[in-house]
Amino acid sequence: MDYEINYPELNMAEITFTVSKADFEKALEEAKETTKSEDPAVLREFAISSFASKVLTEAVDTNKLKLAYTPALMGTDDADGNVTITINCPLLPEVKLGQYKGLNVTKDAVDVPEEEVIAEMNRQISAQKLWETLPEGTKAEEGDQVIIDFVGEKDGVPFDGGSGENYPLILGSHSFIPGFEEQLIGSTAGEKVKVDVTFPENYFEPSLAGQPVVFMCTVKDVQKEIKPELTNEFLAKMKLEGIHSVDDFKNRLAIDLKALKEQEAENKAISTILEKVADGSEVDIPDAMIDNQVEQYVNEYENNMKQYGMTLDQYLQFSGQTLDAFKQQLRPQAILTLRQALVLEAIAEKEAIIAEDKEIEDEYALLSQMYSFPAEQLKAIIPYGTVATQLVQRKTMDFLKDQNLAK
């Protein structure tokens, strides 16, 4: 399809083309079939997006456009019913690179003092919760752990979600509904216990809220927590592979701590390199591009809040700030992120750093392994271009590390 491209301002391309009335009406019918919608606004938006997508793909390829973010679309009808579609394309700003080789950044020396290793040993030991079976006939006390099978019944009929097998329950943990754990105190391994309780009035399942139920429980084991101690015996109970003594544990942690500190030192050096390269480069980031990055951050915060059962509005209320103030707070990070990304892209282009097809396929295979998700399905979720961009950024960072870390 024929189109015109103009550059009305710096870092902005405007693509315009006209769709005949007949072609647009045909696209509206196809949109109705695809979207299953009768809403004229939805159908019009879908038709405009379909035409724009084809033209944009051709224009980007032909004119070597580098889009900063998703273009805005607008459709205008003329007197004859033809539709002129305008695509406003925000473009990446030009980057004038400064020095990005030979910065001679020194990586911090790494030292792991013995007292740090010992502190980590004690921390890991103290964090362990190990249990041992008490002698037969021992009555369960508060603080003990019982392993139970249970079946919940309401009016003599088992209810959904009310059964479990080999469930470890710490008495006094209040992890079950009120009154449940108390009735298991004094029970012994092998004993069957009938637990009568009433669900709270505000219980999330309406059919059970405020209702009396019975749990038929079988106590399979009564256990007491083993006091954490830095001894060979306690380590043996932890069943750590390759660890048979306190000395083994100490040596393992010394190696792990050193590796962790080495990685931290390298990350710090890489961060310093990127900071120096970005500071030495010139790039004028458009406000619209910064605003778009801030919106991405806001959306990420909103999604994170949902995981904790909280809305963004509630978070802002608790933290005592307005949405505008929150966005302003995110702005410096948005500028830093964009500046560094733009500089990395400019270096990758200058040094001809690319992601090969095999590298991208290998990355999908790695992601598939990490998330236990078929690679082919991942490709539908994570676009090919996104994976390629991330790979190029990593390879560019490796290039900068190689060129700037002091030997």
Side-chain angles (χ1 to χ4, degrees):
M1 186 174 287
D2 293 335
Y3 63 86
E4 290 184 8
I5 183 166
N6 296 294
Y7 298 89
E9 60 184 84
L10 186 65
N11 303 319
M12 182 64 72
E14 184 181 84
I15 302 167
T16 56
F17 61 97
T18 300
V19 181
S20 70
K21 178 182 179 182
D23 285 345
F24 197 76
E25 287 178 346
K26 181 181 177 183
L28 288 174
E29 288 301 317
E30 292 174 352
K32 189 181 295 185
E33 187 67 28
T34 303
T35 63
K36 308 300 182 189
S37 174
E38 296 290 337
D39 187 337
V42 171
L43 300 178
R44 180 180 175 83
E45 182 181 352
F46 187 89
I48 289 174
S49 295
S50 298
F51 284 115
S53 177
K54 296 170 187 173
V55 172
L56 182 61
T57 300
E58 181 184 341
V60 165
D61 187 53
T62 303
N63 299 279
K64 307 301 180 190
L65 303 179
K66 295 180 180 178
L67 301 181
Y69 51 90
T70 305
L73 308 179
M74 182 174 66
T76 308
D77 297 29
D78 66 16
D80 297 322
N82 303 315
V83 180
T84 297
I85 297 175
T86 303
I87 310 174
N88 290 310
C89 305
L91 304 177
L92 294 178
E94 180 186 1
V95 178
K96 293 181 181 177
L97 291 170
Q99 182 183 355
Y100 65 88
K101 296 180 183 178
L103 293 172
N104 204 37
V105 172
T106 304
K107 188 167 72 171
D108 290 346
V110 168
D111 178 44
V112 184
E114 184 177 10
E115 56 268 25
E116 196 171 321
V117 178
I118 293 171
E120 179 62 17
M121 292 170 74
N122 286 319
R123 187 194 70 78
Q124 290 199 19
I125 289 290
S126 299
Q128 292 295 317
K129 265 196 174 294
L130 300 181
W131 303 86
E132 63 182 354
T133 298
L134 289 168
E136 186 177 349
T138 302
K139 293 183 177 182
E141 300 176 353
E142 185 166 336
D144 289 347
Q145 177 172 268
V146 290
I147 309 299
I148 58 172
D149 293 345
F150 59 91
V151 177
E153 297 178 354
K154 179 176 176 290
D155 300 327
V157 179
F159 56 85
D160 290 343
S163 302
E165 293 183 351
N166 295 317
Y167 190 93
L169 176 63
I170 300 174
L171 302 181
S173 64
H174 306 295
S175 53
F176 272 32
I177 60 175
F180 188 103
E181 295 167 26
E182 290 83 347
Q183 295 180 56
L184 290 172
I185 291 175
S187 62
T188 59
E191 186 177 348
K192 295 185 183 299
V193 180
K194 178 184 174 186
V195 173
D196 292 288
V197 287
T198 300
F199 277 99
E201 293 290 345
N202 61 350
Y203 193 65
F204 72 91
E205 172 52 54
S207 65
L208 295 173
Q211 297 297 307
V213 294
V214 173
F215 284 91
M216 302 305 297
C217 302
T218 301
V219 181
K220 302 177 81 173
D221 200 7
V222 177
Q223 303 172 340
K224 184 167 289 291
E225 185 178 0
I226 304 171
K227 181 182 177 184
E229 293 179 318
L230 189 52
T231 62
N232 293 344
E233 291 72 23
F234 189 81
L235 287 169
K237 289 183 173 70
M238 287 174 64
K239 298 179 181 177
L240 299 173
E241 188 176 350
I243 303 298
H244 306 291
S245 66
V246 171
D247 284 342
D248 288 344
F249 190 47
K250 183 178 179 182
N251 292 337
R252 168 77 64 80
L253 286 183
I255 292 170
D256 291 348
L257 285 173
K258 186 174 183 182
L260 180 63
K261 286 194 168 190
E262 290 280 4
Q263 188 60 58
E264 288 173 347
E266 182 159 305
N267 291 344
K268 181 183 174 185
I270 291 171
S271 179
T272 300
I273 290 168
L274 186 54
E275 187 178 319
K276 285 178 177 288
V277 172
D279 286 346
S281 302
E282 295 179 27
V283 56
D284 186 14
I285 306 173
D287 282 342
M289 194 171 173
I290 298 170
D291 291 340
N292 184 69
Q293 184 67 36
V294 168
E295 287 300 328
Q296 287 187 38
Y297 287 157
V298 170
N299 290 336
E300 288 173 12
Y301 267 96
E302 196 161 17
N303 289 332
N304 288 337
M305 290 299 104
K306 285 178 183 175
Q307 294 180 18
Y308 297 100
M310 185 185 295
T311 66
L312 181 62
D313 287 341
Q314 288 172 327
Y315 170 75
L316 293 173
Q317 216 172 13
F318 291 149
S319 58
Q321 56 184 326
T322 65
L323 180 59
D324 286 341
F326 182 56
K327 287 181 177 180
Q328 199 61 36
Q329 182 183 319
L330 296 172
R331 201 170 176 83
Q333 182 59 46
I335 293 171
L336 177 63
T337 298
L338 289 170
R339 186 180 185 83
Q340 293 184 348
L342 289 167
V343 167
L344 281 174
E345 183 172 343
I347 294 170
E349 184 175 348
K350 188 170 181 179
E351 296 293 335
I353 299 172
I354 62 171
E356 303 285 355
D357 287 343
K358 185 179 183 309
E359 291 175 319
I360 297 173
E361 289 299 326
D362 288 346
E363 187 71 8
Y364 274 119
L366 181 63
L367 291 170
S368 174
Q369 189 176 4
M370 283 174 58
Y371 296 111
S372 300
F373 206 77
E376 290 306 313
Q377 291 182 37
L378 274 174
K379 290 176 183 178
I381 301 170
I382 309 174
Y384 197 83
T386 300
V387 174
T389 299
Q390 291 172 346
L391 274 171
V392 168
Q393 284 190 343
R394 288 213 303 263
K395 291 175 74 172
T396 306
M397 285 305 308
D398 288 341
F399 170 82
L400 289 176
K401 182 174 71 172
D402 183 62
Q403 293 292 323
N404 294 288
L405 268 185
K407 306 300 186 209

